[in-house]
Amino acid sequence: MPKDVANYVVRNNDALEISAINHVFPNYLSFGFKDDEEGRKLKSLFNDAIITLENSGRLAMLKETYVTDAAFNEPEPVRPEKFDGAEIIKIAVTGDMPPIDFIAEDGIPAGFNTAVMAECAKVAKINLELVNIDATARAAALVSGRVNAVFWFQTMGGEKFDVPEGIILSEPYYSWVEMYSVKLKDK
């Protein structure tokens, strides 16, 4: 897990500590879409939105607020803006990498991924419906049409992997190099 995620997990559980760096090579977060006409259209919209957020400095601010600072403060739930008559896009949220991908105690998605998605939707003028799913079901939910997009974690070891056939990815919007492990503290 990224260092900020490890810090968040350790901060929220006194019995845990950061134990080691597992590997050092690029890791990315992107949005995944079904590789069909609709998915390619959404990929283009989200790529344009990610570039807009990067160029405006908004993406860096979201990272600071929802990742770096959230390692020490609980992230607030994000409620995406609504646009009259705009298309509704269903986005899968797993909650398995807090504070990046996070579900608050009341069941409302929070964290960096949700904040980025809300900002992308604002730029693209689309409506979001956030759908809580199990991380292991993300590809099936996408390919079956249950959702239109998912947050996709990808590790690069020279070549792309963990991207099933039929799924395409947006440009990355977050990256890190070192992967950390968390373990129970020694007694």
Side-chain angles (χ1 to χ4, degrees):
M1 67 184 72
K3 186 175 185 177
D4 291 317
V5 173
N7 285 336
Y8 179 87
V9 169
V10 167
R11 175 182 67 85
N12 286 293
N13 189 331
D14 292 337
L16 299 175
E17 65 185 359
I18 296 174
S19 64
I21 297 174
N22 292 337
H23 67 261
V24 181
F25 49 84
N27 299 277
Y28 302 97
L29 289 179
S30 300
F31 297 112
F33 308 95
K34 186 176 181 180
D35 190 5
D36 62 9
E37 186 177 339
E38 178 190 4
R40 289 187 291 276
K41 176 186 154 204
L42 287 173
K43 176 184 174 181
S44 179
L45 281 174
F46 281 87
N47 281 344
D48 291 347
I50 290 166
I51 290 167
T52 298
L53 294 174
E54 282 179 335
N55 291 340
S56 70
R58 183 83 177 132
L59 193 57
M61 193 227 38
L62 292 171
K63 181 182 175 194
E64 182 73 22
T65 301
Y66 288 94
V67 181
T68 308
D69 290 349
F72 306 100
N73 302 300
E74 201 66 30
E76 291 293 321
V78 176
R79 301 202 193 306
E81 195 171 320
K82 297 292 182 192
F83 301 97
D84 288 338
E87 182 178 9
I88 297 172
I89 304 299
K90 293 181 181 180
I91 308 295
V93 180
T94 64
D96 66 346
M97 202 163 83
I100 293 173
D101 192 7
F102 179 77
I103 307 292
E105 286 183 25
D106 60 4
I108 297 174
F112 179 66
N113 282 344
T114 307
V116 171
M117 181 54 66
E119 290 296 319
C120 285
K122 193 183 302 182
V123 170
K125 301 289 190 252
I126 56 176
N127 290 319
L128 297 183
E129 180 181 329
L130 303 173
V131 180
N132 296 357
I133 67 163
D134 185 270
T136 59
R138 65 188 175 147
L142 186 58
V143 172
S144 72
R146 179 175 174 213
V147 297
N148 305 100
V150 298
F151 301 115
W152 206 273
F153 164 72
Q154 179 179 244
T155 298
M156 303 290 276
E159 297 200 19
K160 291 183 179 182
F161 62 94
D162 189 32
V163 183
E165 189 172 324
I167 294 177
I168 55 176
L169 300 180
S170 72
E171 292 299 314
Y173 57 89
Y174 181 74
S175 65
W176 67 97
V177 176
E178 298 169 331
M179 290 289 280
Y180 288 79
S181 293
V182 173
K183 68 173 188 167
L184 288 171
K185 289 180 181 175
D186 294 328
K187 299 218 178 217

